Amino acid sequence: MGELRFQADLLDEVAHRLDLREPNRKAIESVILRASDHYDVQESSGPFECIVDSATGVGKTYVMAGLMEYLAGAESPARNFLLLAPGRTIRDKSVQNFTPGNRKSLRPVMRSAPYVVTADNFNSPATRVAMDDASVTKLYIFTVQALTTSTGEGRATHVHSENLGASFFERLALLEDLVILADEHHCYRGPAFSRTITDLKPELVVGLTATPVKADENLVAFRYPLAAAIADQLVKTPVMVARRDDRTDTETKLLDGVNLLRYKSAAADAYCTEHELPRVNPVMLVIAGSIEEAKEYQDVLDSSSFDAGAWAGTTLLVHSKLKGEEKEKALADLQAVEEPESPVRIIISIGMLKEGWDVKNVYVIASMRASVSTVLTEQTLGRGMRLPFGRYTQVEFLDTLEVLAHEKYGDLLKKRSVLNEAFIDYGTYAQLRRAADGSLEVRQKAIPAPGPVIPAPRPSVTAQTGDPATSEEFLLSSEPGDLASAAAASVVGIVDQESRARQAKKDAQSGAVIEYSPLPDREPIVIPRLVSVAQPTTVSLNDIDPEDYGPFERLGRALVTEHSEELRRTKLSASHNWQKAQVRAETARDSIRAALPLDIPLSETRKALIRRVMSAKDVPNRKNELGAAERIVDCVIEAMGDEAQECLSAFVEVCGQRLTRQISKTLRDFNPTQIMYTDDVEWLPIDKTRKAQRKQEAGHADGTFDKNLAFNGWQKNLYSHAWFDSSPEFQAAGLIDSSSSVVVWARLHINDVEIHWTTDGRNYNPDFVVIEEIEGKRLGWLVETKSDKDMSSAEVQAKRRAAKKWANTANSSPQVRGVTWNYLLAGEQDVEDAAGLWGRLKKFCV
């Protein structure tokens, strides 16, 4: 039995660079562990095949990219990857995902930079050169039909090519490191696919799907069910909407859908305005039973008599029988439906959108004929599960997907248990365990799903009578064991159309957008804006935070301890015995006083040490490095205490050598994918006019938090009102505002302060900026609050390092004067323990 091979550091680096969600990271880890166990431990010779079963909308494309990045960067790298798609739609989407320049491309964060080979270029001279170059990573993207048959679509890949010296299929079969990524794996299980796998002789086959067939259950290496994705708030929460009456006519069904869509649009507009984000246009997906029905629905929606003509010209009809220019235009419009300028608000489909269509702004799915059992499949539901803002907004109506099945409300309730059976499943992943003999082994771990996708509703109880509320007051509430996301979404499960529409209208009309400008009597806030540039192969002295100067303090103390004013002499003595002569070294008993110059000014030795630090090979020769070098040298000198001048006069060269070695060792610990800052500094005033559609609260002193309120009553806030995403943020604002040392503060919004934390340009925006004055010195703080469970996450810690580096770089810049900048990350328990005192919070977190 061999040893397991798994490079945890490499996976961490890939996960950081691709910003992988935790389930996607675990999926990659599970595949690698199971493959290594197959080859390296069990020493099996046949190809290893497994399945990643991950809920729709979680990000299978990122799993494929992560696998390529890991395997291409491993000690024994793979250079040939074949991505199989069940049809042209998914094939074309995959080409876009891995082609430079496309807005959905992952290439900017992929270090392997794969050369993409498709049906259009596989026979070109450039592809031949790439295939012959063992250092180039290749990604072959083909439909499964193009490879599983030598006739029809697959004929071109099976005929002999003079350019390739063989058929393309034969060239693939000769590759010793071929990895096959089978997207939507459930679509093509069968003899032809199995024969193709056998003929290609791949090293690894990874199927990716949200719905594996039962016959492949033993191949599942990782499973992440939809219930878990909803609980983890990685996809929208579905809400089943049904009518209480018997109305089933077409116009009523479509009116139900567009009414909810209108309220979704109002909520999205308010959210984008408040957070200064590009416009997101919610769309409705109408599922028809036939082309004739689809055309009927389009005629109704486009008519001037339907909803006063509000939806005329906003529909897009897509079906498999479209031909020529009509088809090309429909597909182009479908591809652009996420664009802010797209006029499409309603997509009518007959069945062409089951897989391969990944837009994020579907907010309503309306089934016109099919029963809910047909609609509520993961493929169909998945068309609307993705999050347009990348995460939950904490605005309930923007974090949910409305599914109008148009079955009676009571009938839908009766089906709840049956419907949940399609989604409730256990999760599974591979993990490393240490065996009794100390060796590492791979074990499959199963975890239960967090609860039903469709919780049971229960009526509210009136305070006056204790009786169940009327149907018009019907509310939904999660039962014990239901989804964790129920706390963030006040409505989940099954609800009647009337109640849902009424609540939506109330939320959409909660108030007009109010503008807030900085108060004229408050001191303005100006923050240095540091211009960044990606430097993936270098690190900076500013990566080393002063909090992590412990090794340099120990170095200073050691220099004083180890070097006394006396020099020890080493005496060589010889002895002779009958076998051989021996020479040994020993310390001479007599000592001489060191005749050394002890009057070199400390300022001169300090400059010498700074020059040594700046000349170290790992330190970039940049102006902003100088300030960090000075801080490190001053730390060493301070640790040496009163003997610093005398010791450095005698041993400045030794100190310089040891200091540069310690710096090189410390810099090696930092991730080389972090960004660098240029020497340019711009000044960013916090003076934007805030906009919010929130009810105003006169004060904040009672400590009652509500994310839907804009709180007034601040003494030091730059603005009259502020609103918050969480209770810890609200509490932190209160203790900042009440501090006597604070001059002014502001709740930061998206794009106020951009701290770059990845090389592909992702930005981080802290929660607060605080300016305080202590003993005549100005201090600037960027403050972030997080829940305790997130404090140790890789993302939070990476952002913390980036923010610390930002502060260090700002303080090192000769252009930044008058304010010393700091960063503070506080957990919810830290805020609680601070008991309303800003000074105490700083001590906990700095």
Side-chain angles (χ1 to χ4, degrees):
M1 301 286 279
E3 292 185 0
L4 196 70
R5 296 181 183 178
F6 173 60
Q7 296 175 246
D9 291 345
L10 174 59
L11 180 55
D12 288 342
E13 190 272 327
V14 169
H16 173 78
R17 184 156 33 85
L18 270 62
D19 192 22
L20 294 179
R21 290 170 162 177
E22 185 58 25
N24 295 337
R25 185 193 183 284
K26 278 190 172 294
I28 296 168
E29 182 176 10
S30 296
V31 170
I32 300 302
L33 289 176
R34 291 282 298 272
S36 180
D37 183 66
H38 175 85
Y39 285 113
D40 305 322
V41 179
Q42 306 301 329
E43 298 179 348
S44 301
S45 57
F48 177 68
E49 183 175 0
C50 67
I51 290 175
V52 170
D53 172 10
S54 184
T56 300
V58 175
K60 293 192 294 293
T61 302
Y62 280 86
V63 175
M64 290 189 283
L67 281 169
M68 282 191 285
E69 288 293 275
Y70 179 94
L71 294 171
E75 293 177 357
S76 299
R79 295 296 183 206
N80 294 280
F81 299 88
L82 171 60
L83 196 164
L84 288 177
R88 297 182 182 182
T89 301
I90 296 181
R91 179 201 63 188
D92 294 344
K93 177 187 74 72
S94 299
V95 171
Q96 293 170 357
N97 289 151
F98 296 103
T99 298
N102 188 276
R103 66 182 181 86
K104 291 190 175 183
S105 176
L106 297 179
R107 281 294 294 272
V109 293
M110 294 186 69
R111 194 167 285 172
S112 61
Y115 179 89
V116 177
V117 180
T118 68
D120 296 326
N121 71 344
F122 75 88
N123 202 20
S124 69
T127 297
R128 170 65 187 267
V129 172
M131 292 183 72
D132 290 342
D133 190 340
S135 66
V136 175
T137 300
K138 279 78 65 176
L139 174 59
Y140 312 94
I141 305 178
F142 287 81
T143 63
V144 67
Q145 296 85 356
L147 295 177
T148 55
T149 176
S150 58
T151 61
E153 187 179 343
R155 183 178 183 278
T157 63
H158 285 78
V159 298
H160 182 83
S161 166
E162 292 295 333
N163 181 54
L164 296 177
S167 74
F168 178 71
F169 189 92
E170 290 170 338
R171 284 295 304 265
L172 287 180
L174 292 174
L175 299 172
E176 296 182 353
D177 61 347
L178 183 63
V179 175
I180 295 179
L181 305 171
D183 198 5
E184 303 295 352
H185 181 268
H186 62 278
C187 292
Y188 37 73
R189 291 299 291 154
F193 180 78
S194 298
R195 183 173 59 253
T196 300
I197 297 300
T198 300
D199 292 344
L200 287 175
K201 302 183 288 291
E203 183 178 13
L204 175 63
V205 180
V206 182
L208 298 106
T209 178
T211 53
V213 298
K214 290 186 178 180
D216 290 333
E217 185 63 30
N218 64 318
L219 296 178
V220 175
F222 175 83
R223 170 173 284 126
Y224 187 69
L226 181 62
I230 296 171
D232 291 339
Q233 299 187 359
L234 299 182
V235 295
K236 298 188 189 90
T237 298
V239 178
M240 309 295 113
V241 184
R243 295 195 68 86
R244 288 184 177 272
D245 57 31
D246 294 325
R247 295 183 63 178
T248 59
D249 60 285
T250 296
E251 188 164 326
T252 295
K253 294 177 179 180
L254 292 174
L255 273 173
D256 288 345
V258 297
N259 278 334
L260 290 174
L261 184 63
R262 179 179 287 110
Y263 300 136
K264 293 277 189 182
S265 298
D269 286 347
Y271 186 81
C272 292
T273 297
E274 178 179 321
H275 295 280
E276 299 181 7
L277 297 173
R279 183 184 178 92
V280 171
N281 298 314
V283 299
M284 176 170 70
L285 175 61
V286 177
I287 301 173
S290 66
I291 295 177
E292 291 72 22
E293 287 181 4
K295 290 180 178 178
E296 174 194 345
Y297 304 150
Q298 187 175 39
D299 290 341
V300 172
L301 289 161
D302 281 340
S303 69
S304 59
S305 60
F306 177 81
D307 200 19
W311 307 96
T314 68
T315 61
L316 173 63
L317 177 59
V318 182
H319 57 81
S320 58
K321 293 188 178 180
L322 290 173
K323 302 295 182 183
E325 293 184 5
E326 188 181 18
K327 178 180 179 180
E328 292 302 318
K329 183 180 185 307
L331 292 178
D333 290 343
L334 187 65
Q335 188 67 31
V337 76
E338 281 183 318
E339 301 295 335
E341 61 272 12
S342 172
V344 175
R345 299 294 180 270
I346 302 170
I347 300 167
I348 308 169
S349 170
I350 295 88
M352 198 173 174
L353 305 179
K354 287 185 178 179
E355 287 117 1
W357 189 60
D358 292 345
V359 303
K360 301 174 182 178
N361 56 333
V362 172
Y363 269 103
V364 181
I365 296 179
S367 165
M368 301 300 291
R369 290 288 182 264
S371 69
V372 70
S373 301
T374 303
V375 177
L376 207 60
T377 62
E378 190 154 347
Q379 291 96 332
T380 303
L381 195 63
R383 298 314 103 212
M385 297 297 284
R386 290 170 174 82
L387 299 173
F389 299 102
R391 64 190 65 192
Y392 268 42
T393 64
Q394 307 308 317
V395 177
E396 185 270 332
F397 211 51
L398 293 181
D399 298 332
T400 54
L401 169 69
E402 316 300 308
V403 181
L404 287 77
H406 289 295
E407 295 191 27
K408 290 187 66 173
Y409 179 74
D411 294 340
L412 197 57
L413 283 177
K414 294 175 183 177
K415 291 184 177 181
R416 188 183 74 90
S417 298
V418 176
L419 295 173
N420 273 320
E421 289 179 4
F423 303 106
I424 298 303
D425 206 344
Y426 63 92
T428 181
Y429 63 93
Q431 66 173 179
L432 280 175
R433 298 287 298 275
R434 193 165 293 280
D437 62 358
S439 63
L440 292 174
E441 58 184 10
V442 178
R443 287 290 180 265
Q444 203 71 9
K445 181 176 177 62
I447 53 176
V453 170
I454 311 170
R458 60 171 180 256
S460 63
V461 178
T462 61
Q464 291 82 3
T465 65
D467 296 327
T470 65
S471 61
E472 293 199 356
E473 296 172 327
F474 196 85
L475 301 176
L476 295 178
S477 166
S478 299
E479 294 176 336
D482 283 344
L483 296 175
S485 61
S490 59
V491 178
V492 292
I494 300 171
V495 64
D496 65 283
Q497 168 70 27
E498 293 80 3
S499 298
R500 188 63 167 153
R502 185 169 53 252
Q503 183 62 44
K505 182 178 181 180
K506 179 182 176 182
D507 292 345
Q509 298 177 346
S510 59
V513 174
I514 303 174
E515 295 187 351
Y516 302 91
S517 298
L519 297 173
D521 60 336
R522 300 287 158 83
E523 184 171 325
I525 299 177
V526 181
I527 299 177
R529 180 180 181 272
L530 309 178
V531 181
S532 65
V533 59
Q535 298 275 351
T537 59
T538 61
V539 289
S540 165
L541 290 175
N542 290 299
D543 281 311
I544 310 173
D545 192 79
E547 291 183 12
D548 302 321
Y549 280 2
F552 303 111
E553 293 177 355
R554 290 191 290 274
L555 173 62
R557 291 193 295 268
L559 287 167
V560 172
T561 302
E562 294 173 9
H563 300 286
S564 66
E565 65 174 6
E566 293 182 341
L567 295 179
R568 297 287 182 179
R569 292 191 301 155
T570 300
K571 180 173 65 177
L572 297 180
S573 60
S575 64
H576 205 69
N577 58 33
W578 64 274
Q579 290 181 324
K580 60 181 178 179
Q582 293 180 329
V583 177
R584 66 179 185 275
E586 61 182 22
T587 301
R589 292 186 178 181
D590 58 328
S591 61
I592 59 173
R593 192 166 181 82
L596 296 171
L598 301 178
D599 57 351
I600 300 176
L602 187 59
S603 59
E604 293 300 318
T605 53
R606 177 178 179 272
K607 290 178 181 178
L609 289 179
I610 292 171
R611 287 193 296 271
R612 285 298 299 265
V613 171
M614 291 297 294
S615 64
K617 69 173 183 176
D618 300 306
V619 176
N621 185 20
R622 305 172 61 85
K623 293 179 182 178
N624 282 346
E625 300 298 312
L626 182 59
E630 292 173 345
R631 289 195 298 271
I632 292 172
V633 169
D634 288 343
C635 174
V636 173
I637 292 175
E638 185 177 346
M640 297 176 76
D642 296 337
E643 299 180 54
Q645 179 179 349
E646 182 177 349
C647 186
L648 287 176
S649 294
F651 303 109
V652 68
E653 183 64 23
V654 174
C655 180
Q657 293 172 357
R658 294 181 63 176
L659 180 56
T660 53
R661 285 199 300 267
Q662 181 60 54
I663 284 174
S664 296
K665 178 179 182 300
T666 304
L667 289 178
R668 283 196 299 270
D669 294 336
F670 287 93
N671 193 321
T673 62
Q674 292 187 30
I675 57 93
M676 294 286 293
Y677 292 103
T678 69
D679 298 326
D680 299 326
V681 175
E682 299 174 359
W683 294 99
L684 179 68
I686 304 300
D687 59 0
K688 295 178 182 177
T689 298
R690 311 292 201 208
K691 299 177 181 179
Q693 189 180 17
R694 296 173 187 252
K695 182 180 178 181
Q696 293 183 338
E697 183 71 9
H700 64 273
D702 66 356
T704 303
F705 169 68
D706 186 335
K707 64 182 177 66
N708 297 310
L709 297 180
F711 294 93
N712 195 359
W714 309 103
Q715 302 300 312
K716 309 286 183 68
N717 188 4
L718 183 63
Y719 295 85
S720 62
H721 290 73
W723 45 95
F724 310 93
D725 294 330
S726 67
S727 181
E729 284 181 17
F730 176 64
Q731 295 175 24
L735 62 86
I736 291 170
D737 192 70
S738 62
S739 173
S740 60
S741 65
V742 170
V743 177
V744 63
W745 66 274
R747 170 75 165 87
L748 293 173
H749 289 201
I750 294 174
N751 300 325
D752 275 351
V753 179
E754 297 180 351
I755 295 178
H756 302 279
W757 69 285
T758 64
T759 54
D760 61 312
R762 277 174 291 176
N763 299 325
Y764 161 53
N765 296 269
D767 292 331
F768 301 97
V769 56
V770 180
I771 305 296
E772 69 172 339
E773 185 169 318
I774 299 177
E775 297 179 352
K777 294 182 180 180
R778 285 288 177 104
L779 302 174
W781 295 87
L782 297 183
V783 182
E784 175 76 7
T785 59
K786 284 292 181 185
S787 64
D788 288 341
K789 66 181 181 64
D790 292 331
M791 286 287 284
S792 60
S793 71
E795 178 176 326
V796 169
Q797 290 304 311
K799 289 177 178 178
R800 174 184 177 273
R801 288 193 296 271
K804 288 280 191 178
K805 181 177 180 179
W806 177 93
N808 294 337
T809 306
N811 294 332
S812 298
S813 172
Q815 301 178 57
V816 179
R817 290 290 181 263
V819 178
T820 301
W821 289 94
N822 306 272
Y823 175 76
L824 186 148
L825 174 64
E828 55 187 320
Q829 192 61 52
D830 296 325
V831 176
E832 186 71 27
D833 292 344
L837 299 176
W838 165 242
R840 182 177 295 181
L841 182 66
K842 289 190 295 181
K843 291 180 180 178
F844 288 156
C845 305
V846 177

